[in-house]
Amino acid sequence: MNSADEEEESRPLYARVREQLIERIRSGAWKPGQLIPNEFEIAREFGVSQGTARKAISALAAEQLVHRRQGRGTFVVQHTPAHVLFRFFQLFEDAGAQIIPDSRRAVPVRAPANAAERAALGLDEGEQVIRIARTRLRHAKPFIVETIALPDALFPGLADLPELPNTLYDHFQKTYGVLVVRADERITAVAADKQAAAALELAEGTPLLRIDRTAYGLVDQPVEWRVSQCHLQNAYYLARLR
């Protein structure tokens, strides 16, 4: 037995089952919103105990790849605009209501990835990205200017769309089978430069919140790099710690 086989054998059995279940989601064998087999069926299929199967499914639920519905079973997570806003958009009005942003029309362009995009997305030199620059609105007024870079190889044809959806992550899943499962965000305070000030209709130097996000799909693959500059007048960023 070689070292790779020994390492595989040393891993918990539930983790090996979990990875095979994840592959079914990644490959599209299990579709968004689909009811998956229960723990008895998975235990029988993989030749493991019911407890091992339950632990593998619980791991998927903890990673928000599936969700349980009382009395109905366990389903593959399906991104919808409402789900995306709840999970990945953390800006709120001072009164506590979640901000529901709109966006002005943005045109995606395809271009060779620059050094920063290659570093964020794990791309090689010469690979292409889809770049999106857009302004997001709150109460019909601009409050976020953002730039987005996507690996072109993951999203064929996206750069040719005449109009982009307001929320991208549900489109990624439904059209390309790319499920965003987590995101890392780095938050800093910046002063609006000339370009950001013009887009947000502010004076140069106005304080902004800068959110630098890298979003990941299954198997921890970077699928998006997004930088948002936010004018948080009468609003705040909320971090949920669970």
Side-chain angles (χ1 to χ4, degrees):
M1 181 180 295
N2 61 38
S3 58
D5 290 335
E6 290 175 351
E7 182 178 351
E8 176 67 13
E9 286 295 324
S10 68
R11 295 172 64 244
L13 185 55
Y14 88 88
R16 285 180 265 164
V17 174
R18 165 192 165 276
E19 287 193 359
Q20 293 183 69
L21 301 183
I22 286 177
E23 176 58 24
R24 294 185 181 182
I25 298 173
R26 189 204 63 78
S27 68
W30 287 352
K31 305 294 183 185
Q34 179 177 332
L35 174 69
I36 71 171
N38 62 37
E39 61 193 43
F40 302 102
E41 295 167 319
I42 288 174
R44 184 167 57 249
E45 177 182 351
F46 288 94
V48 299
S49 70
Q50 181 186 337
T52 295
R54 183 186 305 118
K55 196 169 182 180
I57 296 171
S58 294
L60 297 187
E63 296 170 77
Q64 299 191 55
L65 300 179
V66 300
H67 64 100
R68 294 184 172 101
R69 298 179 187 170
Q70 188 67 34
R72 297 185 60 191
T74 302
F75 296 78
V76 178
V77 163
Q78 181 172 8
H79 280 330
T80 64
H83 173 266
V84 169
L85 287 172
F86 174 77
R87 186 174 176 193
F88 295 105
F89 196 81
Q90 305 301 320
L91 298 180
F92 290 77
E93 307 279 3
D94 275 350
Q98 188 171 29
I99 294 173
I100 307 299
D102 199 355
S103 61
R104 289 178 173 163
R105 185 172 182 271
V107 179
V109 296
R110 187 183 292 107
N114 60 35
E117 291 163 339
R118 292 197 302 272
L121 296 171
L123 302 176
D124 294 326
E125 191 164 357
E127 289 195 76
Q128 300 251 311
V129 293
I130 300 167
R131 291 192 191 125
I132 302 165
R134 68 179 177 182
T135 302
R136 309 204 79 176
L137 308 177
R138 169 190 175 206
H139 307 314
K141 295 182 179 180
F143 87 115
I144 296 177
V145 60
E146 66 185 7
T147 58
I148 299 170
L150 309 168
D152 182 52
L154 274 183
F155 304 104
L158 182 65
D160 303 317
L161 291 180
E163 187 171 353
L164 293 173
N166 186 36
T167 55
L168 290 171
Y169 293 177
D170 55 318
H171 182 72
F172 292 169
Q173 184 185 29
K174 292 169 185 172
T175 304
Y176 299 101
V178 174
L179 176 65
V180 175
V181 298
R182 71 176 182 89
D184 292 341
E185 292 188 338
R186 291 162 291 281
I187 301 174
T188 54
V190 297
D193 60 17
K194 184 175 182 179
Q195 184 176 358
L200 296 173
E201 301 173 7
L202 302 169
E204 284 188 58
T206 299
L208 302 176
L209 184 74
R210 184 182 191 270
I211 305 172
D212 184 318
R213 173 194 294 178
T214 304
Y216 295 85
L218 294 169
V219 300
D220 236 23
Q221 177 187 21
V223 300
E224 178 201 62
W225 179 41
R226 178 186 304 218
V227 177
S228 304
Q229 296 184 71
C230 316
H231 184 224
L232 293 187
Q233 184 177 23
N234 302 318
Y236 60 90
Y237 178 97
L238 176 67
R240 292 187 174 91
L241 306 178
R242 295 175 179 171

